[in-house]
Amino acid sequence: MSAPVYLALLHHPVVNRDGEIVTTSVTNLDIHDIARSACTYDIAGYFVAHPSTGLRALCERVSWHWQEGYGAKINESRRVAMELVHVVPDLEHVLAKIQSETGRAPIQIATSARLHERPTTSFPELRARIENGDQPILILLGTGYGLSPDVVDACDALLAPLRGPGEYNHLAVRAAAAILLDRLRAT
Amino acid sequence: MSAPVYLALLHHPVVNRDGEIVTTSVTNLDIHDIARSACTYDIAGYFVAHPSTGLRALCERVSWHWQEGYGAKINESRRVAMELVHVVPDLEHVLAKIQSETGRAPIQIATSARLHERPTTSFPELRARIENGDQPILILLGTGYGLSPDVVDACDALLAPLRGPGEYNHLAVRAAAAILLDRLRAT
């Protein structure tokens, strides 16, 4: 028994370096890189959430290129990974899609490099929950300087921050996604 | 006692999807993302190696932007990470720089997602070697479809490939770098 794990990358509401709530633009490589990591670590779906119709159209165009356009002809491994990508407006749509796919609401797990007041769930704890559970798990990643405090507070749990040996903790979201999937899913 | 660890990203000689030896172009985000991961995991230096004078100039320009140009004014955390970046023509220059910095030749560790005939070193083995040693360690990453077989054969050891639960193993080099640093250096 193992719970299906989903990832969502939110571009809103996230914070900027001054802690203000903003909407970030799209970084193309966030789509491919995280899709490839998700495919490597057997993730059930990867949602790219953006409130702008125009930027969702850009994401869909990138996704189309690798799934059906010229990219699909020259790069089979990327085509396969891009099948996991769903472009949606916001978290509500992510939750609705998971509900319709699995028949259940997911357990929502926030991620953050910043300190929050609420206690965190360790990687081994979440890993055990995935391996021994069946309720879908949704891991939320924030672009910019991270998920807004309201999103973090509304989640069921907050994953422990990724830290190296020193104080520096400014990983790219693509790097953070890769590391957390490896910690949760590597065999 | 702990050995200094260096990373090098080679754009030549690497293989393409048909196994031919090629030179790849530069991906801007390979510079920032891997620099930020290297900074997080306390790496002594990150080398971006490219044989083309023009593409090295591009890398230097990107590096200058974040270290001294406008980027340095608006993004202090990226500025700090970019201090680790050295742009060089090839592996020989990487080795010479480490020799001059540390007074010793590094142990060269190849990485590859493909199968090779030689035995691999596990992550716990390399981690122990770093933690208990003092000879510098240089980890080589290949762009494209990975380091050329000759480069892999010439290294002192080959690190075990990163694998998830399934067969898919097409991580972005930026993702692979992040994961391997986490496995070797996370506290």
Side-chain angles (χ1 to χ4, degrees):
Chain A
M1 189 160 64
S2 178
V5 178
Y6 293 84
L7 276 184
L9 180 71
L10 302 192
H11 295 80
H12 177 90
V14 294
V15 296
N16 66 9
R17 68 174 63 83
D18 298 320
E20 297 160 339
I21 305 297
V22 296
T23 302
T24 59
S25 186
V26 165
T27 302
N28 272 15
L29 285 185
D30 285 348
I31 311 176
H32 316 154
D33 277 19
I34 298 177
R36 292 161 69 183
S37 295
C39 200
T40 300
Y41 291 101
D42 204 15
I43 295 307
Y46 164 43
F47 297 89
V48 177
H50 204 294
S52 151
T53 311
L55 287 176
R56 284 203 306 282
L58 171 65
C59 294
E60 294 283 15
R61 181 67 181 74
V62 169
S63 185
W64 177 87
H65 172 79
W66 294 110
Q67 284 193 74
E68 299 177 48
Y70 181 66
K73 297 192 181 92
I74 60 164
N75 197 330
E76 170 66 11
S77 64
R78 191 167 298 188
R79 187 192 66 72
V80 170
M82 295 297 275
E83 286 179 351
L84 294 174
V85 176
H86 307 277
V87 182
V88 295
D90 54 30
L91 179 56
E92 295 311 305
H93 284 77
V94 175
L95 299 175
K97 174 77 174 165
I98 296 172
Q99 176 83 41
S100 79
E101 264 191 15
T102 67
R104 300 183 68 175
I107 301 169
Q108 296 180 54
I109 311 288
T111 60
S112 178
R114 300 189 311 280
L115 284 177
H116 293 264
E117 286 190 11
R118 68 186 296 183
T120 59
T121 298
S122 73
F123 281 89
E125 281 166 351
L126 181 56
R127 187 172 175 125
R129 197 162 177 176
I130 293 167
E131 289 174 0
N132 303 317
D134 58 2
Q135 189 176 352
I137 305 275
L138 170 63
I139 299 171
L140 297 178
L141 300 162
T143 54
Y145 281 66
L147 298 168
S148 81
D150 283 356
V151 170
V152 172
D153 290 345
C155 281
D156 299 296
L158 170 62
L159 193 56
L162 295 170
R163 296 303 297 261
E167 290 304 308
Y168 189 91
N169 67 341
H170 302 279
L171 289 168
V173 70
R174 302 166 287 284
I179 293 167
L180 75 85
L181 289 179
D182 185 65
R183 288 192 183 187
L184 296 173
R185 304 287 279 178
T187 47
Chain B
M1 190 160 63
S2 179
V5 179
Y6 293 85
L7 276 185
L9 181 71
L10 302 192
H11 295 79
H12 178 90
V14 295
V15 296
N16 67 8
R17 68 174 65 82
D18 298 320
E20 298 160 338
I21 306 297
V22 296
T23 302
T24 59
S25 187
V26 165
T27 303
N28 271 15
L29 285 185
D30 285 347
I31 310 176
H32 317 153
D33 278 20
I34 298 177
R36 292 161 69 184
S37 296
C39 199
T40 301
Y41 291 101
D42 204 15
I43 295 307
Y46 164 42
F47 296 89
V48 177
H50 204 295
S52 151
T53 311
L55 287 176
R56 284 203 306 281
L58 171 66
C59 294
E60 294 283 15
R61 182 67 182 73
V62 170
S63 184
W64 177 87
H65 172 79
W66 294 110
Q67 284 194 76
E68 299 176 48
Y70 182 66
K73 297 193 181 91
I74 60 165
N75 197 331
E76 169 67 11
S77 64
R78 191 168 298 188
R79 187 192 66 72
V80 170
M82 295 297 274
E83 286 179 352
L84 294 175
V85 176
H86 306 278
V87 181
V88 295
D90 54 29
L91 179 55
E92 294 311 306
H93 284 77
V94 174
L95 299 175
K97 174 78 174 164
I98 295 173
Q99 176 82 43
S100 80
E101 264 191 15
T102 67
R104 301 185 67 175
I107 300 168
Q108 295 179 54
I109 311 288
T111 60
S112 178
R114 299 188 312 280
L115 284 177
H116 293 263
E117 285 190 11
R118 69 187 293 182
T120 59
T121 298
S122 74
F123 281 89
E125 281 166 352
L126 181 56
R127 188 174 173 122
R129 197 162 177 175
I130 293 167
E131 289 174 0
N132 303 318
D134 58 3
Q135 188 176 354
I137 305 274
L138 170 63
I139 300 171
L140 297 179
L141 300 161
T143 54
Y145 282 66
L147 298 168
S148 81
D150 284 355
V151 171
V152 172
D153 290 344
C155 281
D156 299 296
L158 171 62
L159 193 57
L162 295 169
R163 296 304 297 260
E167 290 304 306
Y168 188 91
N169 67 340
H170 302 280
L171 289 168
V173 69
R174 302 167 286 284
I179 293 167
L180 74 84
L181 289 178
D182 185 65
R183 288 192 184 188
L184 295 173
R185 305 286 280 178
T187 48

